Amino acid sequence: MSAPTSRARCIALAGPTASGKSAASLAIAQRWPVEIISVDSALVFRGMDIGTAKPTLQERALVPHHLIDIIDPLQAYSAADFVRDATRLVDDIQARGRTPLLVGGTMLYFKALMHGLDDMPRANPAVRARLEARAQALGWPALHAELAKIDPATAARLFPNDSQRIQRALEVFEVSGRPISSFQTGGAVHAGPLAPEHLLSLEPDDRAWLHARIAQRFESMLAGGLIDEVRRLRARGDLHPDLPSMRCVGYRQAWEALDAAGDPLTDAQRTELRDRGIFATRQLAKRQITWLRSMPERQTIACDAPDALARVLDSVQDLLGPPMLAQGLVASHPTGSKPC
């Protein structure tokens, strides 16, 4: 293990869903004075706790967490919003003499922090409505095929039924005349604070190990009240399944199950929801791993290895130096610090 040549401005822990990022981040917080910045496009939404596997209040009391519960599910939160907020937080946390630890699985956010992000066109409701109407007539696989002709790089990493991302990619092309992939690489307007070599990536050697954890976690979400959580969100009356918040994995499948089958769900309908939710989560994990593999400078750690946590801690020590907090988790927020 080499000694750090200079203290990293910030470090990051990425990985597919259910790879053990949260547990590893808390172990890091036991040893170094860090504050956690969530890199997750679902954790920003208030009232969406179970289906996002949001850190518990107890965990969030042990070490400051940021960019959790910051907007209502009716609102949108873009990659540009994240870069702005995360960059500010990195500066603030460093000013308090602590290290920002970026943790999550929204890979576009990580890529934007490392390589920057061009000014992408804002959402255009009229264009989106036209695309939605065409998808209802032709199906999303047909629009995916159209995307493959104008932006093969983006189409290659999207599933044919990934309506949210296909719609956004086609919308950007129609509004700007440029493929969305051209906004996500090079020519950046917003410079990010994260060095690619400071990205630690938890990735499984055996995909079956991850699939088993995904199934176990989704079953735990159902047992923990995911359907009731979606019922409460539906009962608000102002949310709908086309919102980014309600397209999150788990929420979308539960919403569709309640729409199709009514309420309450039968045992057979709950089983179907379970199977669809696990399948969708496995698809998400596959996309996350594909994104990670496009970041060659990341430090990869096998999350299914028996000594995975020890490897994570060794890598953090390479970046930050010897542990500074040997006795337990950070017990309180530093003076002047309030999680965002």
Side-chain angles (χ1 to χ4, degrees):
M1 183 169 57
S2 62
T5 55
S6 62
R7 193 168 186 269
R9 185 181 182 206
C10 61
I11 61 174
L13 185 63
T17 184
S19 59
K21 299 183 295 295
S22 295
S25 67
L26 291 177
I28 292 169
Q30 286 182 303
R31 295 159 175 82
W32 287 273
V34 302
E35 295 187 31
I36 294 172
I37 300 174
S38 170
V39 188
D40 191 303
S41 60
L43 296 190
V44 298
F45 296 115
R46 292 188 290 269
M48 296 173 57
D49 303 328
I50 299 169
T52 61
K54 195 171 287 181
T56 66
L57 293 178
Q58 291 82 358
E59 290 169 337
R60 292 158 66 179
L62 291 170
V63 56
H65 286 67
H66 303 274
L67 300 188
I68 295 177
D69 290 340
I70 60 172
I71 63 172
D72 185 82
L74 195 59
Q75 299 173 284
Y77 191 75
S78 69
D81 292 330
F82 171 79
V83 169
R84 178 200 64 219
D85 292 342
T87 301
R88 171 183 55 81
L89 283 165
V90 165
D91 291 340
D92 291 347
I93 293 167
Q94 279 210 306
R96 292 192 284 268
R98 303 166 72 83
T99 298
L101 173 61
L102 297 130
V103 182
T106 300
M107 303 310 165
L108 175 59
Y109 289 3
F110 280 120
K111 203 171 187 72
L113 281 177
M114 290 188 295
H115 304 299
L117 190 69
D118 278 354
D119 280 333
M120 199 176 298
R122 291 187 173 274
N124 186 305
V127 172
R128 289 194 171 191
R130 287 199 300 271
L131 290 169
E132 191 73 38
R134 294 187 60 236
Q136 289 178 1
L138 302 175
W140 285 108
L143 270 68
H144 181 268
E146 293 179 12
L147 178 63
K149 296 177 182 178
I150 60 174
D151 190 357
T154 297
R157 62 178 177 80
L158 300 182
F159 289 97
N161 286 308
D162 191 346
S163 58
Q164 178 181 357
R165 292 174 178 82
I166 294 170
Q167 182 186 56
R168 178 58 176 157
L170 290 171
E171 174 194 25
V172 168
F173 184 80
E174 184 168 338
V175 171
S176 70
R178 292 172 53 188
I180 195 170
S181 57
S182 72
F183 288 96
Q184 296 168 349
T185 57
V189 173
H190 308 290
L194 177 62
E197 63 271 19
H198 295 166
L199 174 66
L200 310 179
S201 178
L202 292 171
E203 301 173 35
D205 286 337
D206 181 4
R207 198 72 65 91
W209 176 90
L210 185 65
H211 290 172
R213 285 176 59 93
I214 286 171
Q216 181 183 41
R217 189 164 80 163
F218 197 80
E219 289 167 353
S220 296
M221 289 175 178
L222 287 174
L226 173 61
I227 297 174
D228 286 337
E229 186 172 65
V230 175
R231 284 192 185 105
R232 289 193 295 272
L233 292 165
R234 286 163 59 92
R236 285 180 36 159
D238 59 345
L239 302 178
H240 56 83
D242 291 327
L243 289 167
S245 59
M246 294 300 103
R247 288 177 171 176
C248 292
V249 169
Y251 292 90
R252 180 170 190 162
Q253 287 72 33
W255 190 294
E256 290 173 347
L258 291 170
D259 266 351
D263 200 4
L265 301 180
T266 66
D267 288 344
Q269 290 161 346
R270 286 178 64 92
T271 298
E272 182 182 1
L273 167 58
R274 170 197 174 276
D275 292 343
R276 291 182 64 238
I278 291 171
F279 178 72
T281 310
R282 287 171 61 169
Q283 288 184 311
L284 169 63
K286 183 177 181 180
R287 291 194 299 271
Q288 290 169 317
I289 292 171
T290 298
W291 266 101
L292 285 165
R293 288 175 177 170
S294 72
M295 305 175 188
E297 294 178 84
R298 75 197 189 284
Q299 298 183 43
T300 304
I301 298 167
C303 55
D304 50 345
D307 61 343
L309 180 56
R311 294 184 189 182
V312 170
L313 297 176
D314 283 347
S315 294
V316 173
Q317 182 163 326
D318 283 345
L319 294 170
L320 298 184
M324 298 178 65
L325 297 179
Q327 303 296 323
L329 284 165
V330 180
S332 61
H333 300 150
T335 302
S337 171
K338 182 179 179 182
C340 297

